[in-house]
Amino acid sequence: MFLIMFFAALLLKVVIAATLSPFGDEAFYWQESLSPAWGYSDLPPLTAWLIGLSEGMFGHGRFAMRLPFLLIGAVLPWQVGALAQRLSGEAVRWRAATFALLLPLVGSMGVLALPDVPLTFAIVLATHGLVAALEANRLRDWSLLGAGLAIAWMTHYRAAMPMLAGLLFLLATPRGRMQWRRPGLWLAMALASLGLLPLVIYNVAARGAGLAFQLVERNPWRFHADALVQPLEQAAACTPLAWIVLMWALWQAWRRRGEAPFDVIAALAGSFIVLYFVLGLFADDVRFRAHWPLPGFVLLCAVLPTLLAPAGRTWRRFAMAAFVLAGCGLLAGLGYLGLAASPNGARVLAGVKAFPSNFTGWRESSDAVRGLQAREPSSLIVADNFMLAAELRFALGGAGVIYSLDSPLNTKHGRAAQLAEWGSNEAGLARLAGRRLLLVVDETSLRERERRDWLVSICSRVDIVEPVLRLDLFDGRRRFSVYDATARAVPGPLHSPDDCVVWRDAYRASILPVRSSSGQGDTGVAQ
């Protein structure tokens, strides 16, 4: 049953990965892969390195960009099965792997080229090494622990959490305290520190830009009560009944924490779930965070079959039903992405609140820009934010630089420092004052309360000559406009809303009905 579900899910993921437009962050990671470095303002280097390696081998494209992540994501359920086998024997291996596969965030992992894929892989790998080292104290197992932690550090700053979870295990449990005198532990820490080297090298050269974003700029560091809903977010991500079962598994592992291997799982999984909840009360309050504790839920899947064995029949049936529903959630999630991958499917979603805006509109906008650029090949292309710039560059094959205006999105997502390093921000554009531009504006990239101020400010950042083209897509859920413009050496005076053509056009489009469709997803085109 596991193999049937595994290959069915993998086939769906391959089809979606080959057709779904890049997520905005994905496109930027791809853009980072064009400039190999020890790190970037948003992340350590491994995500970009994987993309660059794959595209170097297989050429440019959506599937090539995502292939390493598809392969790593496919390995994860097998990792959980292997860990369950080591913890409790062969009998529970395939049940644990099936439980992990049915979790929507695990079963769909790898469809997108995101750092959470290698990060989760690395954490499970490190846990496998730790469990084996506790049993046999072999250097190869300690080395596996160190390698997993090194990969985690090269992937994301959230590698600090498995380090903290491991430290709590070493301090708070009898078996953990016995490890401090073992040379293997220090070998593992030495290997883990190698993964820190790229992060340190980058931050020293960039004056701490990555650390500043991750530790200061993205976090308010004050209590915000809206974060109390984190358990509900996690329940939605796991599906509610599966989340209840996994929290029961955590409780049972904690009750049996005096026994091996439940002490390891209780300490590690509990740290991910509890500490991320506490951190979330004071940290990032604007981004999706339900995936933060995912490694904890994955580790709980490894012990869940063992914990269910002595439970009553009614509870076991409830757990099985819960994961059947989780599988339905996985299918629904993959179906949602499948609809987003198709212009006609995206049109079906145009009327729902959960419209996949981050996956839509890029094909149409890049096709329009490609046609305009063919008529004016000497024109520079400038986007009004980093995400649109990366998407356009991906769609146009990566040739040449696409500049980005200094949108609030650039700072919010930690990309402003990276754009400045590349010279593709407004400061770099200012050195080309007087050059002809094709300015592409995503009028729906910001929230409504932020939109007017930003669009009005564009008129002071470049000299607008005339509107060239407008795209109203998916019943107005996505709107793009293109302007003939010239670069400025310094910003001009601020305009009133009535005097700024960018804002006037956007406002007029927002209050008028979408014009006649032209085939792909209710695409109204005015030129």
Side-chain angles (χ1 to χ4, degrees), residues 261-299:
F262 300 107
D263 54 350
V264 178
I265 301 301
L268 299 186
S271 296
F272 276 97
I273 294 169
V274 176
L275 294 183
Y276 268 133
F277 171 75
V278 175
L279 180 66
L281 296 175
F282 303 92
D284 196 333
D285 59 346
V286 297
R287 294 167 183 82
F288 183 74
R289 59 194 168 208
H291 59 294
W292 288 1
L294 177 63
F297 295 121
V298 170
L299 295 180

Side-chain angles (χ1 to χ4, degrees), residues 70-153:
L70 276 170
L71 296 176
I72 295 170
V75 167
L76 191 57
W78 296 82
Q79 280 185 294
V80 174
L83 180 58
Q85 182 185 30
R86 177 169 289 280
L87 293 172
S88 304
E90 177 69 23
V92 299
R93 177 180 183 180
W94 301 110
R95 292 179 228 164
T98 302
F99 287 145
L101 176 64
L102 291 174
L103 288 178
L105 289 181
V106 177
S108 62
M109 190 164 277
V111 169
L112 304 179
L114 300 177
D116 287 277
V117 182
L119 179 64
T120 307
F121 165 85
I123 291 171
V124 179
L125 181 69
T127 303
H128 198 111
L130 175 61
V131 170
L134 292 173
E135 290 178 0
N137 193 30
R138 294 175 298 198
L139 289 182
R140 71 182 187 189
D141 297 324
W142 289 112
S143 298
L144 192 64
L145 168 62
L149 293 174
I151 295 170
W153 276 122

Side-chain angles (χ1 to χ4, degrees), residues 40-41 200-210 417 421:
Y40 306 92
S41 66
V200 171
I201 292 171
Y202 168 76
N203 277 281
V204 169
R207 300 180 181 179
E421 181 180 331

Side-chain angles (χ1 to χ4, degrees), residues 2-3 68 72 124 136 152 166 209 228 238 264 287 349 429 454 472 490:
F2 167 77
L3 291 174
I72 295 170
V124 179
L228 292 171
C238 293
V264 178
R287 294 167 183 82
L349 298 172
L429 187 62
W454 168 246
D472 292 291
V490 294

Side-chain angles (χ1 to χ4, degrees), residues 364-398:
E364 295 84 353
S365 59
S366 59
D367 287 344
V369 170
R370 187 182 291 109
L372 293 170
Q373 190 183 37
R375 299 206 303 256
E376 296 285 346
S378 62
S379 294
L380 297 174
I381 301 175
V382 179
D384 81 304
N385 65 78
F386 83 91
M387 199 174 295
L388 178 57
E391 293 282 0
L392 290 174
R393 192 173 183 188
F394 182 90
L396 297 176

Side-chain angles (χ1 to χ4, degrees), residues 198-268:
L199 189 150
V200 171
I201 292 171
Y202 168 76
N203 277 281
V204 169
R207 300 180 181 179
L211 287 171
F213 172 64
Q214 295 290 344
L215 299 181
V216 180
E217 295 169 7
R218 69 180 292 175
N219 300 303
W221 295 125
R222 62 179 180 272
F223 177 76
H224 45 96
D226 62 311
L228 292 171
V229 303
Q230 289 178 93
L232 297 179
E233 296 173 348
Q234 295 165 15
C238 293
T239 66
L241 297 184
W243 180 79
I244 291 172
V245 173
L246 290 171
M247 294 304 292
W248 172 85
L250 177 61
W251 175 56
Q252 291 294 320
W254 175 253
R255 288 182 61 191
R256 299 172 63 174
R257 63 189 180 277
E259 310 171 29
F262 300 107
D263 54 350
V264 178
I265 301 301
L268 299 186

